Each structure stands twice: as C-alpha cells, then as structure tokens.
C-alpha cells in the first residue's frame, strides 16, 4: 500500500501526529511508503529524514502557495534537485480556495493580504506570471516529477493537462477533482482520465466534504478507469489515523460494488508507480 497524500505536524494547523508518528502508523499497517504533503512549505527535507530513519519510501514535494513564493521556479528547482518528486499547483492560496471560504494562511493573521494564485485560462495568457508557470512545467518535465493540480479550477486543470501532454510530462495527478475545489463533474473527470490524467479520490472527502456520498465517489472511481488513485488526505485530528482512513475509503467503495482488487491497486501499485522513479 502507498498513500499519495497525507499531512503531518509540524504544520500551521493541528495535525494528528508528527512525521515520525505518522510514519510509524504506516509501518505498522504494512505500507511501503507515502507522500508527505504540506500547504505552506517544502516537505523534501522532512521526507528524506523520515525515509532514512523508517526504511519506508517517504516522498516529499512542494505546494506552490505564497509561503514558497507562489508559482515560483526557484522553489521548484530547489525541491526537485534535492530529491523531491511532487509539485502541487496552488492549494490553500488558489483563487478557488478564497471564493469557497476554505482555510487560508491569512486566517491566522489579518495583516496578511488575501491575494490569490491562478494559471490560465483564469490568468490571461499574456500575463507576465505565465512565464514562471511555463518554467515550472519545464522543470517538472525535465525532472520526470509528478504534477498534481492542487485546488485550481477545472478549466485550469484542463489547461495544465494540455501543457503536460505538450511537454511530455508523464506523471499527472488530478488532486481530488470531485472535492469542493476544484469541484469537477464526473463526465469532465472521465474525459481528462481518458487523455492520461490520474484521478485522486480521498478519504477526507468521505469524512468531511459537505454533500459527498460513497455513491458519488464510486461514480468518480468508475470515471477514472485504470488511472484511479485512492489516498487518505488524512492527518486532521478529527479523522482516523491515515492507514485506517484509507481502509475505510476502500471499504466504502467496495460496499458500492467496486472490485476490491482494483481498489487495492489504486491505493498501492498505481500511486507507487506514479510517484517513484
Ligand atoms: Zn491534502
């Protein structure tokens, strides 16, 4: 088993455990590894330290939010040159996050302005910031890293997939596309999966997404076809331990009639091959 999305302490929000505690829970559950995600800092150093001490394949990366300079090629070059494997486009500082009133760093201190991040087509193609987006995409291609779409809108996810295909980026994951952000429809998810996008479904959605049901997640899983990836996105104090969270997602989808073997692959070999070189 391999969990492609988990959060641990230290973080700006409370988490269920520190890196070593989260690592121990995966080791006890027999996992081979996981991807450590943080919204406001690179996890490359933390993942490397934990990998060496635990023997698990702990993978780090960088989420392109304002604390790392936004869509910042310097942050990406640094992360990928130090062994990072994953780049998430804006999550907590995406324009979608602000309009959906989901948590932002500025919630901690109102002296921080509320400016947001976007890519085309929300950002105009002639915006000077687009050259940084292109540089980041080139870096992902050159390092054979994983492009995760983050919380940007469905139209931006589509634009990112087109860019990825044009640049030969072979590792592309739609970050929980049926979550509130980006809030993509099943038919749109099916179309992007057909064109090569992997599709993430998270246990977090099952536990915490307003209006979400196991039946809707099962429809997304069907739409993803062979590119389905199941992840926990756990680490919240009010979610189960990450391995238990992912197990509950698998059980819920099994109860909806999906093949258990296929679901195990989606939480094991598929994400492992997507992320590891
Ligand atoms: Zn997450």
């Amino acid at each position: 088993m391999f969990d492609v999305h988990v959060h641990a302490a230290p973080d700006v929000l409370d988490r269920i455990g520190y890196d070593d505690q989260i690592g121990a829970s995966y080791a006890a559950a027999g996992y081979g590894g996981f991807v450590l995600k943080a919204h406001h800092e690179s996890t490359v150093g933390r993942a490397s330290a934990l990998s060496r001490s635990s023997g698990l394949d702990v993978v780090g990366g960088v989420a392109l939010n304002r604390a790392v300079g936004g869509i910042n090629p310097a942050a990406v070059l640094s992360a990928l040159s130090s062994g990072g494997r994953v780049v998430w486009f804006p999550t907590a500082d995406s324009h979608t996050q602000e309009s959906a009133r989901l948590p932002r760093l500025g919630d901690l201190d109102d002296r921080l302005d509320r400016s947001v991040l976007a890519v085309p087509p929300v950002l105009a193609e002639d915006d000077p910031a687009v050259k940084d987006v292109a540089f980041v995409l080139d870096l992902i291609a050159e390092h054979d890293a994983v492009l995760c779409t983050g919380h940007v809108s469905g139209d931006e996810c589509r634009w990112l997939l087109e860019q990825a295909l044009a640049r030969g980026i072979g590792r592309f994951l739609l970050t929980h596309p049926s979550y509130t952000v980006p809030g993509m429809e099943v038919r749109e998810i099916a179309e992007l999966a057909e064109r090569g996008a992997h599709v993430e479904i998270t246990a977090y959605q099952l536990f915490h997404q307003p209006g979400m049901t196991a039946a809707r997640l099962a429809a997304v899983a069907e739409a993803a076809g062979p590119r389905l990836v199941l992840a926990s996105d756990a680490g919240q104090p009010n979610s189960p331990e990450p391995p238990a969270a992912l197990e509950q997602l698998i059980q819920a989808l099994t109860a909806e009639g999906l093949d258990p073997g296929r679901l195990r692959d989606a939480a094991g070999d598929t994400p492992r091959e997507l992320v590891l070189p």
Side-chain angles (χ1 to χ4, degrees):
M1 299 279 280
F2 189 96
D3 189 354
V4 81
H5 188 159
V6 70
H7 298 269
D11 201 345
V12 302
L13 298 175
D14 284 346
R15 296 301 183 188
I16 199 170
Y18 283 85
D19 294 350
D20 58 327
Q21 296 170 310
I22 296 287
S25 74
Y26 285 117
Y31 276 57
F34 60 96
V35 176
L36 186 60
K37 181 177 182 189
H39 293 294
H40 304 294
E41 66 169 14
S42 164
T43 58
V44 174
R46 289 165 55 181
S48 171
L50 186 54
S51 233
R52 290 174 58 83
S53 62
S54 69
L56 298 173
D57 288 317
V58 188
V59 174
V62 64
L64 302 179
N65 292 309
R66 291 177 61 201
V68 301
I71 301 172
N72 175 11
V76 173
L77 178 60
S78 165
L80 298 184
S81 302
S82 315
R85 296 285 309 141
V86 181
V87 177
W88 293 272
F89 273 78
T91 57
D93 288 328
S94 170
H95 63 99
T96 49
Q97 187 90 356
E98 176 74 4
S99 46
R101 297 171 184 267
L102 289 165
R104 298 210 45 214
L105 188 60
D107 301 341
L108 305 180
D109 188 326
D110 60 15
R111 290 171 297 181
L112 190 66
D113 72 74
R114 308 284 302 182
S115 62
V116 292
L117 299 165
V119 300
V122 170
L123 200 63
E125 293 268 5
D126 61 357
D127 190 295
V130 174
K131 73 170 193 333
D132 283 343
V133 179
F135 191 177
V136 165
L137 291 165
D138 287 341
L139 288 168
I140 294 171
E142 289 157 16
H143 289 261
D144 192 24
V146 189
L147 190 168
C148 293
T149 53
H151 294 183
V152 297
S153 67
D155 286 348
E156 291 164 288
C157 292
R158 178 182 293 270
W159 184 86
L160 285 169
L161 179 61
E162 281 157 8
Q163 295 295 312
L165 292 171
R167 286 172 162 83
I169 293 171
R171 304 171 189 268
F172 185 100
L173 178 61
L174 286 170
T175 302
H176 48 55
S178 57
Y179 180 55
T180 313
V181 286
M184 290 172 71
E185 298 295 333
V186 170
R187 66 170 189 290
E188 199 176 5
I189 294 168
E191 188 202 324
L192 298 195
E194 200 118 308
R195 293 170 65 190
H198 282 78
V199 174
E200 181 189 61
I201 293 175
T202 66
Y204 181 94
Q205 294 184 264
L206 187 64
F207 299 136
H208 302 297
Q209 181 177 353
M212 183 48 78
T213 62
R216 281 187 60 200
L217 291 178
V220 176
E222 296 284 15
R227 296 195 179 82
L228 175 65
V229 170
L230 300 180
S232 72
D233 193 4
Q236 305 76 30
N238 62 345
S239 294
E241 292 273 341
L246 191 42
E247 191 58 38
Q248 285 187 35
L249 176 63
I250 291 170
Q251 294 303 331
L253 293 173
T254 302
E256 292 297 322
L258 293 180
D259 176 56
R262 191 181 153 229
L263 295 171
R264 299 268 159 209
D265 284 348
D269 288 346
T270 305
R272 193 179 176 82
E273 282 164 23
L274 179 66
V275 167
L276 294 180

